[in-house]
Amino acid sequence: MQTVAPVAAARPVAGGLIYTLRVLILIHGVTLLVAASMAGRALTYDSEFVLSVDQAAAEPHVMVGMVAHLVGLVQLIAAILYWRPGRGAGWPALASLGLFLLGIAQHFVLGIGLNVHVPNGVLLFGLILVLLVWSWSPRAAVRR
């Protein structure tokens, strides 16, 4: 007769790890929202309805974008800690890496053309929303 080992109940991830990750994702989302609102102020149309960028108004957008990159890097580190030592899900670390790399590409490569910069900004915002909703769900606090 074989004995079956009882299945251990799912233990929660350390409260400090999940709380830190939640706060960082929230701050990252707020910085992306502020950057997007400042970008909207920098876009103008001329008399022939040609879209252009007011460089003076774009400067705050760039500065907030740099803050978003810094928060994204710290979020990536927290997501890795949540995943490996914290034994949480691994996909938030991968999503945080994607957010960080897309943000860096947005700043250094895609900032030149609005036809790529704007859709990539929408993609960044959508990805941070997915992470934000997940991070405040009960499943985020369960170990894998």
Side-chain angles (χ1 to χ4, degrees):
M1 182 166 147
Q2 283 185 333
T3 60
V4 177
V7 176
R11 295 186 325 235
V13 174
L17 274 175
I18 189 63
Y19 183 74
T20 301
L21 188 57
R22 285 173 175 166
V23 169
L24 286 168
I25 291 170
L26 181 63
I27 292 170
H28 197 182
V30 169
T31 58
L32 289 175
L33 181 63
V34 170
S37 68
M38 290 182 172
R41 293 182 60 214
L43 296 177
T44 59
Y45 286 97
D46 63 9
S47 61
E48 297 177 8
F49 295 107
V50 175
L51 185 64
S52 63
V53 177
D54 178 8
Q55 293 302 325
E59 194 171 314
H61 168 69
V62 172
M63 293 298 185
V64 173
M66 287 186 204
V67 171
H69 302 325
L70 180 62
V71 173
L73 179 60
V74 176
Q75 174 189 321
L76 173 59
I77 293 167
I80 290 170
L81 291 174
Y82 166 82
W83 170 42
R84 292 313 301 166
R87 297 179 57 198
W91 75 266
L94 191 59
S96 296
L97 175 63
L99 268 170
F100 180 70
L101 293 177
L102 282 173
I104 293 297
Q106 180 85 331
H107 186 80
F108 292 108
V109 179
L110 305 175
I112 299 167
L114 290 176
N115 57 346
V116 179
H117 190 82
V118 173
N120 191 55
V122 172
L123 179 63
L124 285 168
F125 197 69
L127 189 53
I128 198 70
L129 280 177
V130 168
L131 276 171
L132 188 62
V133 168
W134 165 82
S135 70
W136 290 95
S137 73
R139 286 190 58 92
V142 176
R143 284 188 181 192
R144 303 283 177 240

